[in-house]
Amino acid sequence: MELCDLTLHEIKDLFAQKEVLPSLVMASVVKRIEEVEEKLGAYLALDLEAAMAAARAADERIKAGRALGPLDGIPVAIKDNLCQAGRESTCASRILQGFVPPYTATAVQKLLEQGALVPGRTNMDEFAMGSSTENSAFKPAKNPWDPERVPGGSSGGSAAAVAAGEAIAALGSDTGGSIRQPAAFCGVTGLKPTYGLVSRYGLVAFASSFDQIGPLAKDAEDCALMLAAIAGYDPLDSTSVRNGQVDYPKELEREVAGRTIGLPREYFGEGLDPEVRRLIMAAVAHLEELGVRVVELSLKLTEYALPVYYLISSAEASSNLARYDGIRYGRAAAGREDLAAYYTRTRAEGFGPEVKRRIMLGTYALSAGYYEAYYQKAQQVRTLICREFEEAFRVVDAIVTPTSPTLPFRLGERLADPLAMYLSDVCTVPVNIAGLPAVSVPCGFAQGLPVGMQIIGRPFAEATILNLAHQYQKVTVHHRARPYGRRRGEQNEV
Amino acid sequence: MKFEAVIGLEVHAELSTASKIFCACATKYGAEANTQTCPVCLGLPGTLPVLNEKAVEYCIRAGLALNCRIADFSKLDRKNYFYPDLPKAYQISQYDLPLCRDGFLTLASGKRIGITRIHIEEDAGKLMHSPEGEGFSLVDYNRAGVPLIEIVTAPDLATPEEAVEFLEKLRRILIYLGISDCKMEEGSLRCDANISLKPAGAETLGTKTELKNINSFKALGRALAYEIERQAELLAEGKTVKQETRKWEEAKQRTLSLRSKEDTQDYRYFPDPDLVPVELDQAYVAAIAASLPELPEAKKRRLIEEYKLPEYDADLLTGSRHLADFFEAVLKDYCNPKAASNFIMGELFRLMGEEGLAPEALALNPAHLADILRRIDQGELSVSQGKKVFEKAFRTGASPAEIIAAEGLRQISDEASLRTVVTQVLAAHPQSVNDYLNGKTKVAQFLTGQVMRETKGQANPQLIKELLEEELAKLRP
């Protein structure tokens, strides 16, 4: 196994023992990028020289025993919708080509302050709208387990990069499953924190009331370390929450015996791939062996989650994306003769079809005469879905579902059918509607492709779901499988 | 047919907070273009607004002063439209849950004008268009994100005069509250007017027009008067008024159609998900209420009752909170209110007018004016000397004592020495004395002038008059 295939916590321990230095890890990541990036398209922009220079600076700190924290010297990839001062931040959209923000997203800033190295900015669906990374305006990303298949989306680049060893961990954003679904598709662990736990400042908005930044990493422990680094109140984000600091890595070691998890019937019904179902149930059996009590429950409003999500998120997106007019930054259409025509041309040329579809959908949902029937109704149902989760969490400590109802699909397979694409999010979207935390954990392989189990928690109960995920990973090996760089015989059995 | 006008106003006032409503940028007027901007007020991708609590407090101050109900739960909404002066392509404003509603302001006639609502919102940037034909416009975003309150009245105003009175009273209140400088010429106070006509006594309202680009109190009165005449003519001819927005053209003194109702934009208001709702507890509102200054109307009534001032004086003095405060500060050291009021309305107003000085900028020490007024009353200074000393004090800030000493300005009220001068003057002008004794009493003026000359103008004129009469009487055969 190469250094780049190790987990963050393994590398951190090697640093502590001074057996390995950051520049070696970075070199391993660079080598892997050189080997696989052309095939995978995980990155939109690489910044390897700067990352290498930062690695050498980290070397000195590690040698002196003065690490800035567990992330010091760790290569962490950044999704292209997280602003980074001095780096072109495009959200994989033509309309933001050439946009170099003068500020850094709070979450990224925190990583940088703790010594993380940034090898580059990862590919994504344009403005995070999509479930396959095929909506990137520049190139699709591929699944490292099978480059004929999508890595999921919208944080497909981040998931592919971590799975392939092109980064040790990554930041993604999750509006309707954009961290968890690609994590499941690429066989990595991805955490969507509670809405408000991580500052959104510097995250280019898609749907402000759903968007949340979170880590994609090789296991739950890595996610805990990443979360500890990025969580916390930020005066620049009014929706970020003042919450007592939790020691996420420490909470991983709690006993899980006696915990209760719920399996919502509605997530195991029609449309669920039988192989996915089999692997989830096997994982649930593992949890039971750890002393976790399993109950069945019903979340009856689940069928409304997709329409609620697509109405509200598109409404917010239509407003959030209105500012891209090419006047102050980004790509502008040629010709200045008439303001309205100029707006139209700039936006017609700058946005891809999926983004346009959502803008139109959202504009419609907010229009006079339709607002009550669509946007407002959706908000009312949103409240009901939140209540339904609250009710469920009176009975259970966590809810377990598949992350995606299907295995990673082939490139192009769902592009022509937006509704089929939207169905990829059916298990993840309700979590964003209610602002809950959820983690996707690798739970096996079907047809050589990874499958993810989603563990949903109460608001701010990241410690609980990471604890379950970690204890599960202690007795399983799916998360240790790697698409590249494994030695013979290291492939894990289900 | 006789028509009645129905008028409602929408007033925007820029709040004089130190920083903008959603970021820390300064709000100073007149700074170099785009120097008071940051990623947040420029609406750059990924930035987020954070509400300035001062803007909320100022809006509540206005609400309390205008007798509004203050919301315990309020929120901010997005008003979506495209325009280059609006960097996010939406304005953060308040739609259905404003901070204040259902208030009123009372006119001098006793008529109450309803305040429908007061809400906070952000201002847009400023476009500067190139000369005709050059085909470009520049944008200054310094103003983008400056906090505004929008005050919407009920359609309770019936005449242009009432509208102007309302706006003047409102302006005075906002300035008293210290929440806006309300300078129409700088755009920190803006007013749109809605107006419709209906047959006298009718219940149903007519079709209204909205008047924009009203840049002064005078323009408000004239625009409304013009519009009443225009609408009345249409109606008299049996035509209908078109619901539309019209622009007041100051140069041509007329209103002109800007856009019709059909072009009205759908702003697609919805709650801004980047901001949390504003929840106000009663103690917070009560604390703001307790901190409100005395308002102009109350102050005026009090000046009339407490100091027995005529209404005219009280009205002028309370035109500015600073002026009223100055007046009352003078009375700490001086006990004749009317004399103080006269001096302020006469001398102080004259000097302030000459200097173009706003009451807020008045630096004069009120104790100095009290000192001068006292010296005049005690005969130590003549009125004209008092005015001279006052002008010096106003311009230099020096104390009356210093000025009097430096200029040698002292009124001679010492009877014995003045009598000596008087007898000397009479001795020196026997012809005049003769004339006087022969009934030409007018020469007394000449003789007084001579005494003044001898005393370098410092003699107490009242005393001169008395002594002259006495001494002349002695010379009567």
Side-chain angles (χ1 to χ4, degrees), chain A residues 103 200 202 238 319-320 323 328 368, chain B residues 43 45-46 49 78 80 87 266 274:
Chain A
Y103 46 90
R200 290 185 296 119
S238 319
S319 172
N320 284 332
R323 72 188 66 189
R328 292 162 301 276
Chain B
R78 292 186 184 178
N80 296 285
D266 178 2
D274 286 331

Side-chain angles (χ1 to χ4, degrees), chain A residues 83 99 103 200-203 208 235-239 316 319-320 322-324 328-329 339 343 363 366-368 371 375, chain B residues 39 42-50 78 80 82-84 87-90 141 266 268-271 273-276:
Chain A
C83 289
F99 172 61
Y103 46 90
R200 290 185 296 119
Y201 189 82
L203 165 65
S208 315
L236 296 178
D237 176 1
S238 319
T239 62
E316 291 179 2
S319 172
N320 284 332
R323 72 188 66 189
Y324 304 115
R328 292 162 301 276
Y329 49 83
L339 183 65
Y343 277 149
T363 304
L366 288 175
S367 296
Y371 180 90
Y375 178 81
Chain B
L42 289 175
L44 296 188
T47 60
L48 296 169
V50 176
R78 292 186 184 178
N80 296 285
F82 288 95
Y83 209 60
K88 299 187 295 295
Y90 58 82
Y141 290 108
D266 178 2
R268 287 171 283 119
Y269 279 101
F270 75 105
D274 286 331
L275 291 159
V276 290

Side-chain angles (χ1 to χ4, degrees), chain B residues 353-409:
Chain B
E354 278 175 16
E355 299 283 312
L357 198 70
E360 296 75 39
L362 183 62
L364 182 68
N365 185 343
H368 290 172
L369 176 54
D371 189 13
I372 292 164
L373 290 168
R374 243 185 1 250
R375 287 176 198 258
I376 293 173
D377 286 358
Q378 288 165 3
E380 208 180 300
L381 290 176
S382 67
V383 170
S384 71
Q385 281 176 330
K387 289 178 181 173
K388 207 187 276 177
V389 174
F390 179 72
E391 181 161 349
K392 269 258 149 50
F394 177 85
R395 294 197 197 282
T396 65
S399 75
E402 286 164 354
I403 296 163
I404 289 164
E407 310 258 313
L409 286 169

Side-chain angles (χ1 to χ4, degrees), chain B residues 125-276:
Chain B
K126 212 171 182 172
L127 285 180
M128 277 162 281
H129 302 292
S130 64
E132 200 72 40
E134 285 183 32
F136 67 90
S137 298
L138 301 173
V139 202
D140 176 6
Y141 290 108
N142 281 352
R143 206 179 64 180
V146 167
L148 297 174
I149 49 173
E150 180 176 334
I151 301 164
V152 182
T153 75
D156 292 345
L157 297 156
T159 64
E161 293 71 30
E162 280 189 0
V164 172
E165 186 194 340
F166 173 89
L167 191 61
E168 277 172 346
K169 279 207 147 66
L170 178 67
R171 175 175 184 271
R172 200 182 271 197
I173 290 172
L174 298 182
I175 293 175
Y176 262 60
L177 293 170
I179 64 173
S180 174
D181 59 16
C182 290
K183 292 181 179 160
M184 283 190 107
E185 67 283 8
E186 289 181 7
S188 62
L189 185 73
R190 292 167 236 162
C191 178
D192 299 336
N194 287 298
I195 172 163
S196 66
L197 297 191
K198 60 173 187 178
E203 287 288 317
T204 12
L205 296 176
T207 307
K208 67 172 181 181
T209 57
E210 184 182 2
L211 308 183
K212 286 195 176 287
N213 198 40
I214 297 168
N215 294 322
S216 66
F217 289 94
K218 206 183 269 177
L220 174 63
R222 288 190 178 163
L224 286 170
Y226 177 91
E227 192 60 16
I228 288 171
E229 206 172 306
R230 189 187 71 86
Q231 292 188 13
E233 264 173 42
L234 283 174
L235 295 172
E237 289 167 21
K239 292 179 185 161
T240 52
V241 173
K242 219 172 113 197
Q243 184 167 346
E244 61 187 356
T245 302
R246 300 179 67 86
K247 180 184 176 181
W248 171 248
E249 289 193 311
E250 185 64 41
K252 298 189 174 154
Q253 297 282 303
R254 64 170 186 196
T255 66
L256 207 70
S257 178
L258 204 59
R259 54 177 176 263
S260 75
K261 195 203 168 202
E262 290 73 54
D263 305 331
T264 306
Q265 292 203 45
D266 178 2
Y267 291 120
R268 287 171 283 119
Y269 279 101
F270 75 105
D272 192 332
D274 286 331
L275 291 159
V276 290

